[in-house]
Amino acid sequence: MICNDNHSFQDLKEGLLRLLEENSYRPETLAYFRKKLDALGLYMTSHGIELYSPEVGEAFFDEHVRKNGYGLSSRNFLRTVIRRMNNYYHGDGFVLMPVEAEPPLPGDYEYVFKQFAAACEERGNKPSTIKNKLYFCKVFYENLACLGCRTIKEIDPESIGRACAMTRNRDGWAVIRELLRFLAKTGELEKDFSLLVPSYRRGFRLPDTYSEKEIRKTEKAVDRTTVTGKRDYCILLLASRLGMRAGDIVGLSLENLDFKKGEITFVQQKTGASLSLPMPAQVRTALLDYIHNGRPTHSGQTVFLRYKAPFLPLSSRAVNYLTTKYLRLAGISISGKKHGPHSFRASLATSMVNDGVPYEAVRKILGHGSSNAVQHYARLDIEKLRACSIRVPSPSGCFADFLEGRELL
């Protein structure tokens, strides 16, 4: 990029506005930028300033906020205008909001964790799995640091036991055990302390589900007259009618949608296997409405985008948020229950098995790679389980005496 420090303010302003327009900023947002940039130009003229610089932008920001008594929202928007102008001034072009980088870990932990991540990648772990493992590794480090273990060599059996006890999410114990085995194998630790990590097996819990009536009520809570509503309605339908995972929904490309054949074909993020799903009429209509009347003009192929510029793909977290949002708008109780898109997936599975759909067919529809998943769905088949129930025997002996109120010796 070429620095624009010798250009006139008018050239900088018009160049920035063109850049924002190229990045799909809405007309009303561009109008706001132009209004504030015009105010910046008047400020420079009144102070006899010919060329713009970031220092000029900061001085304008302070004076403009003070004179207009801006609140937090207005200050933040004006700050964005100045930041965009400074990026363009430096020749950086269109820069996304900076993400604060995590500080490196002290001592030898940073190097060791990178080596551990590389070993996990060699074993075929997916990036999301490695990210999750590194999270638990850093929690383990923070606990060790609180106990005075600033380097790998200072780790001892007592600190391992105490650090594990400090780890609230016990799912992390398996990762800590794997990390300690790795440290012993690579010679970072003299002994394999992995056996000191407590064992933990998560208890079985039936998936949280919602009734068909509750799901339909949630879908009706979406205002489909708005751009955001058109998008959100499609997402809810893909989760509730097709049982798609959040990661697969946000990863959908326009190329995955075949409206002629009425199919949605994609590679699942979790399993890496290809899956083709039918496109019901309601899903097809909603997708076409969003693509033609709600989706921002964008050169990329990702289906679901943010409704504000820059129009980036949605995240899985956003899908979780909007699912919860519409359940609450519909007045559905989510107390003590999971309320993300996966609960819609479980609800679909429950509905299918209770309607007599074979378990193997349910497994294939939801894209599970393992045949063991059939056992999971069998627990949801309430009607068939009821047919296997054993008649409760009649009370006898001391228990019968107790129920009858007779005195027990």
Side-chain angles (χ1 to χ4, degrees):
M1 288 287 185
I2 301 174
C3 186
N4 296 306
D5 55 349
N6 291 322
H7 287 67
S8 69
F9 175 75
Q10 187 65 23
D11 289 341
L12 288 175
K13 182 182 76 172
E14 297 302 328
L16 174 59
L17 291 172
R18 283 195 301 272
L19 180 64
L20 296 178
E21 187 175 6
E22 290 170 1
N23 281 273
S24 304
Y25 269 60
R26 299 182 185 280
E28 55 270 24
T29 308
L30 290 172
Y32 179 88
F33 266 81
R34 182 176 292 278
K35 179 180 178 181
K36 295 306 174 186
L37 291 173
D38 287 343
L40 173 57
L42 291 175
Y43 168 84
M44 292 175 61
T45 301
S46 65
H47 287 76
I49 303 173
E50 295 183 2
L51 295 177
Y52 176 81
S53 69
E55 292 74 21
V56 172
E58 288 301 315
F60 163 74
F61 175 85
D62 292 338
E63 181 178 299
H64 200 67
V65 167
R66 186 176 65 255
K67 284 185 175 181
N68 292 278
Y70 277 174
L72 179 61
S73 178
S74 297
R75 284 202 306 270
N76 287 341
F77 211 135
L78 182 59
R79 172 61 67 190
T80 300
V81 174
I82 300 302
R83 181 175 63 84
R84 291 284 181 213
M85 173 59 90
N86 291 342
N87 288 337
Y88 189 75
Y89 167 85
H90 287 300
D92 296 330
F94 187 85
V95 181
L96 297 177
M97 285 294 292
V99 178
E100 187 175 346
E102 293 186 13
L105 297 175
D108 47 3
Y109 285 99
E110 184 74 22
Y111 169 77
V112 166
F113 285 177
K114 286 182 178 178
Q115 296 299 108
F116 176 65
C120 291
E121 185 177 5
E122 288 180 5
R123 287 198 301 273
N125 287 171
K126 296 181 181 297
S128 58
T129 302
I130 296 174
K131 181 180 179 180
N132 190 52
K133 287 185 176 181
L134 288 178
Y135 166 77
F136 284 119
C137 287
K138 289 180 180 179
V139 170
F140 184 52
Y141 155 73
E142 290 170 358
N143 294 339
L144 289 172
C146 290
L147 299 172
C149 300
R150 296 290 177 179
T151 66
I152 299 291
K153 299 299 182 184
E154 294 175 341
I155 297 177
D156 57 28
E158 181 182 358
S159 62
I160 291 173
R162 294 174 64 186
C164 287
M166 294 165 65
T167 303
R168 293 184 180 181
N169 189 340
R170 295 181 179 180
D171 290 338
W173 288 356
V175 178
I176 295 172
R177 191 180 300 110
E178 183 181 351
L179 173 65
L180 292 174
R181 282 199 295 265
F182 172 79
L183 294 177
K185 182 179 179 181
T186 56
E188 297 292 339
L189 289 177
E190 293 182 0
K191 297 181 179 179
D192 183 358
F193 293 129
S194 62
L195 295 177
L196 300 177
V197 180
S199 297
Y200 170 70
R201 177 176 292 180
R202 187 189 300 178
F204 173 76
R205 174 183 173 181
L206 282 173
D208 292 317
T209 61
Y210 296 90
S211 68
E212 184 176 348
K213 183 178 179 180
E214 289 175 323
I215 291 177
R216 299 298 175 263
K217 190 176 179 181
T218 302
E219 294 169 356
K220 289 181 180 179
V222 183
D223 181 3
R224 284 181 273 163
T225 64
T226 67
V227 171
T228 309
K230 294 178 188 297
R231 180 199 67 189
D232 294 352
Y233 184 63
C234 288
I235 291 173
L236 289 181
L237 289 182
L238 292 175
S240 64
R241 307 297 175 89
L242 300 181
M244 290 179 61
R245 301 181 181 92
D248 293 331
I249 292 175
V250 298
L252 272 183
S253 168
L254 294 174
E255 297 172 345
N256 299 136
L257 308 178
D258 190 332
F259 291 102
K260 291 184 178 179
K261 292 184 178 180
E263 291 181 348
I264 302 176
T265 304
F266 58 95
V267 176
Q268 299 173 91
Q269 289 188 4
K270 183 175 182 179
T271 65
S274 179
L275 179 65
S276 290
L277 296 173
M279 189 187 295
Q282 192 171 7
V283 174
R284 172 190 171 89
T285 301
L287 283 170
L288 287 173
D289 183 32
Y290 166 65
I291 292 172
H292 295 306
N293 304 314
R295 185 175 178 273
T297 303
H298 190 268
S299 58
Q301 291 292 305
T302 303
V303 176
F304 297 111
L305 307 170
R306 290 173 26 163
Y307 70 94
K308 288 184 178 180
F311 299 119
L312 301 174
L314 285 184
S315 65
S316 297
R317 180 176 296 181
V319 175
N320 289 325
Y321 168 79
L322 69 88
T323 306
T324 304
K325 168 186 171 181
Y326 290 113
L327 280 168
R328 286 176 171 156
L329 283 176
I332 307 301
S333 174
I334 59 176
S335 177
K337 298 175 66 175
K338 292 185 177 181
H339 37 83
H342 204 80
S343 62
F344 283 12
R345 179 178 169 86
S347 300
L348 177 64
T350 303
S351 177
M352 286 191 291
V353 295
N354 285 331
D355 286 344
V357 178
Y359 300 150
E360 184 64 14
V362 175
R363 181 186 72 80
K364 290 182 178 180
I365 290 171
L366 296 187
H368 280 290
S370 172
S371 58
N372 292 331
V374 177
Q375 301 175 7
H376 183 68
Y377 299 132
R379 298 187 180 99
L380 301 173
D381 197 344
I382 305 301
E383 296 305 318
K384 289 184 180 178
L385 289 175
R386 184 177 286 115
C388 299
S389 62
I390 300 174
R391 190 179 185 83
V392 179
S394 300
S396 61
C398 293
F399 184 54
D401 293 337
F402 171 76
L403 293 178
E404 294 294 333
R406 291 190 287 271
E407 185 176 352
L408 301 178
L409 296 179

Short mmCIF file of all heavy atoms in Angstrom, two decimals, residues 75-95:
data_model
loop_
_atom_site.label_atom_id
_atom_site.label_comp_id
_atom_site.label_asym_id
_atom_site.label_seq_id
_atom_site.Cartn_x
_atom_site.Cartn_y
_atom_site.Cartn_z
N ARG A 75 -19.83 8.50 20.34
CA ARG A 75 -18.37 8.59 20.40
C ARG A 75 -17.73 7.40 19.68
O ARG A 75 -16.75 7.56 18.94
CB ARG A 75 -17.89 8.62 21.85
CG ARG A 75 -18.09 9.94 22.56
CD ARG A 75 -17.16 10.10 23.76
NE ARG A 75 -17.25 8.97 24.68
CZ ARG A 75 -18.09 8.92 25.70
NH1 ARG A 75 -18.93 9.91 25.91
NH2 ARG A 75 -18.11 7.88 26.50
N ASN A 76 -18.29 6.20 19.90
CA ASN A 76 -17.72 5.01 19.27
C ASN A 76 -17.84 5.08 17.75
O ASN A 76 -16.93 4.68 17.02
CB ASN A 76 -18.42 3.76 19.79
CG ASN A 76 -18.03 3.43 21.22
OD1 ASN A 76 -17.00 3.90 21.71
ND2 ASN A 76 -18.84 2.64 21.90
N PHE A 77 -18.99 5.59 17.25
CA PHE A 77 -19.16 5.68 15.81
C PHE A 77 -18.18 6.69 15.22
O PHE A 77 -17.57 6.46 14.17
CB PHE A 77 -20.60 6.08 15.49
CG PHE A 77 -21.11 5.51 14.19
CD1 PHE A 77 -22.36 4.94 14.09
CD2 PHE A 77 -20.32 5.54 13.04
CE1 PHE A 77 -22.83 4.42 12.90
CE2 PHE A 77 -20.76 5.02 11.84
CZ PHE A 77 -22.02 4.46 11.77
N LEU A 78 -18.02 7.84 15.88
CA LEU A 78 -17.07 8.84 15.40
C LEU A 78 -15.66 8.30 15.45
O LEU A 78 -14.84 8.57 14.56
CB LEU A 78 -17.19 10.12 16.22
CG LEU A 78 -16.30 11.29 15.78
CD1 LEU A 78 -16.59 11.69 14.34
CD2 LEU A 78 -16.47 12.49 16.71
N ARG A 79 -15.37 7.52 16.49
CA ARG A 79 -14.04 6.91 16.58
C ARG A 79 -13.78 5.99 15.40
O ARG A 79 -12.66 5.93 14.86
CB ARG A 79 -13.94 6.13 17.91
CG ARG A 79 -12.70 5.27 18.07
CD ARG A 79 -11.43 6.11 18.04
NE ARG A 79 -11.34 6.98 19.19
CZ ARG A 79 -10.44 7.95 19.31
NH1 ARG A 79 -9.58 8.15 18.30
NH2 ARG A 79 -10.40 8.71 20.37
N THR A 80 -14.82 5.28 14.95
CA THR A 80 -14.69 4.41 13.78
C THR A 80 -14.37 5.23 12.53
O THR A 80 -13.56 4.82 11.70
CB THR A 80 -15.98 3.59 13.57
OG1 THR A 80 -16.23 2.79 14.72
CG2 THR A 80 -15.87 2.68 12.35
N VAL A 81 -15.03 6.38 12.39
CA VAL A 81 -14.76 7.25 11.24
C VAL A 81 -13.29 7.67 11.21
O VAL A 81 -12.62 7.59 10.17
CB VAL A 81 -15.67 8.50 11.28
CG1 VAL A 81 -15.29 9.47 10.16
CG2 VAL A 81 -17.14 8.09 11.15
N ILE A 82 -12.78 8.09 12.36
CA ILE A 82 -11.38 8.53 12.43
C ILE A 82 -10.43 7.36 12.19
O ILE A 82 -9.41 7.50 11.50
CB ILE A 82 -11.09 9.19 13.80
CG1 ILE A 82 -12.00 10.41 14.02
CG2 ILE A 82 -9.63 9.60 13.90
CD1 ILE A 82 -11.88 11.47 12.95
N ARG A 83 -10.77 6.20 12.73
CA ARG A 83 -9.91 5.03 12.52
C ARG A 83 -9.84 4.65 11.05
O ARG A 83 -8.77 4.34 10.52
CB ARG A 83 -10.43 3.85 13.36
CG ARG A 83 -9.58 2.59 13.24
CD ARG A 83 -10.06 1.49 14.18
NE ARG A 83 -11.41 1.05 13.86
CZ ARG A 83 -11.70 0.14 12.94
NH1 ARG A 83 -10.73 -0.39 12.22
NH2 ARG A 83 -12.94 -0.23 12.73
N ARG A 84 -11.01 4.68 10.38
CA ARG A 84 -11.03 4.37 8.94
C ARG A 84 -10.19 5.39 8.15
O ARG A 84 -9.46 5.03 7.23
CB ARG A 84 -12.46 4.38 8.43
CG ARG A 84 -13.34 3.22 8.94
CD ARG A 84 -12.98 1.95 8.23
NE ARG A 84 -13.82 0.84 8.68
CZ ARG A 84 -13.39 -0.40 8.74
NH1 ARG A 84 -12.14 -0.69 8.42
NH2 ARG A 84 -14.19 -1.38 9.13
N MET A 85 -10.33 6.65 8.53
CA MET A 85 -9.56 7.70 7.83
C MET A 85 -8.07 7.49 8.04
O MET A 85 -7.26 7.61 7.10
CB MET A 85 -9.99 9.07 8.33
CG MET A 85 -9.14 10.23 7.79
SD MET A 85 -9.15 10.34 5.98
CE MET A 85 -10.56 11.41 5.74
N ASN A 86 -7.66 7.15 9.26
CA ASN A 86 -6.24 6.94 9.54
C ASN A 86 -5.70 5.72 8.78
O ASN A 86 -4.57 5.75 8.28
CB ASN A 86 -6.03 6.75 11.04
CG ASN A 86 -6.27 8.02 11.83
OD1 ASN A 86 -6.28 9.12 11.27
ND2 ASN A 86 -6.49 7.88 13.13
N ASN A 87 -6.50 4.66 8.71
CA ASN A 87 -6.06 3.48 7.94
C ASN A 87 -5.84 3.83 6.47
O ASN A 87 -4.86 3.41 5.85
CB ASN A 87 -7.10 2.36 8.06
CG ASN A 87 -7.13 1.73 9.43
OD1 ASN A 87 -6.15 1.78 10.17
ND2 ASN A 87 -8.26 1.13 9.79
N TYR A 88 -6.79 4.61 5.92
CA TYR A 88 -6.66 5.00 4.51
C TYR A 88 -5.48 5.95 4.32
O TYR A 88 -4.75 5.87 3.33
CB TYR A 88 -7.95 5.66 4.04
CG TYR A 88 -7.99 5.90 2.55
CD1 TYR A 88 -8.18 4.85 1.66
CD2 TYR A 88 -7.79 7.17 2.03
CE1 TYR A 88 -8.19 5.06 0.29
CE2 TYR A 88 -7.79 7.40 0.67
CZ TYR A 88 -7.98 6.33 -0.20
OH TYR A 88 -7.98 6.55 -1.56
N TYR A 89 -5.29 6.84 5.28
CA TYR A 89 -4.16 7.79 5.23
C TYR A 89 -2.82 7.06 5.19
O TYR A 89 -1.91 7.42 4.44
CB TYR A 89 -4.24 8.70 6.47
CG TYR A 89 -3.00 9.52 6.73
CD1 TYR A 89 -2.80 10.76 6.10
CD2 TYR A 89 -2.02 9.09 7.63
CE1 TYR A 89 -1.67 11.52 6.36
CE2 TYR A 89 -0.89 9.84 7.89
CZ TYR A 89 -0.72 11.05 7.25
OH TYR A 89 0.40 11.80 7.51
N HIS A 90 -2.71 5.98 5.98
CA HIS A 90 -1.46 5.20 6.02
C HIS A 90 -1.34 4.23 4.86
O HIS A 90 -0.32 3.54 4.74
CB HIS A 90 -1.38 4.43 7.34
CG HIS A 90 -1.10 5.29 8.54
ND1 HIS A 90 0.04 6.05 8.65
CD2 HIS A 90 -1.82 5.51 9.67
CE1 HIS A 90 0.03 6.70 9.81
NE2 HIS A 90 -1.10 6.40 10.44
N GLY A 91 -2.38 4.15 4.01
CA GLY A 91 -2.32 3.25 2.87
C GLY A 91 -2.63 1.81 3.22
O GLY A 91 -2.30 0.90 2.46
N ASP A 92 -3.30 1.59 4.36
CA ASP A 92 -3.61 0.22 4.80
C ASP A 92 -4.88 -0.33 4.17
O ASP A 92 -5.19 -1.52 4.31
CB ASP A 92 -3.75 0.18 6.33
CG ASP A 92 -2.45 0.52 7.04
OD1 ASP A 92 -1.38 0.24 6.45
OD2 ASP A 92 -2.51 1.07 8.15
N GLY A 93 -5.65 0.54 3.50
CA GLY A 93 -6.89 0.08 2.89
C GLY A 93 -7.96 -0.20 3.93
O GLY A 93 -8.02 0.45 4.98
N PHE A 94 -8.80 -1.20 3.64
CA PHE A 94 -9.91 -1.54 4.53
C PHE A 94 -9.42 -2.55 5.56
O PHE A 94 -9.07 -3.68 5.23
CB PHE A 94 -11.08 -2.12 3.73
CG PHE A 94 -12.32 -2.33 4.55
CD1 PHE A 94 -13.21 -1.29 4.75
CD2 PHE A 94 -12.59 -3.55 5.12
CE1 PHE A 94 -14.36 -1.48 5.50
CE2 PHE A 94 -13.72 -3.75 5.87
CZ PHE A 94 -14.61 -2.71 6.07
N VAL A 95 -9.39 -2.14 6.82
CA VAL A 95 -8.87 -2.98 7.90
C VAL A 95 -10.00 -3.33 8.85
O VAL A 95 -10.75 -2.46 9.29
CB VAL A 95 -7.75 -2.25 8.68
CG1 VAL A 95 -7.20 -3.15 9.78
CG2 VAL A 95 -6.63 -1.83 7.72
#
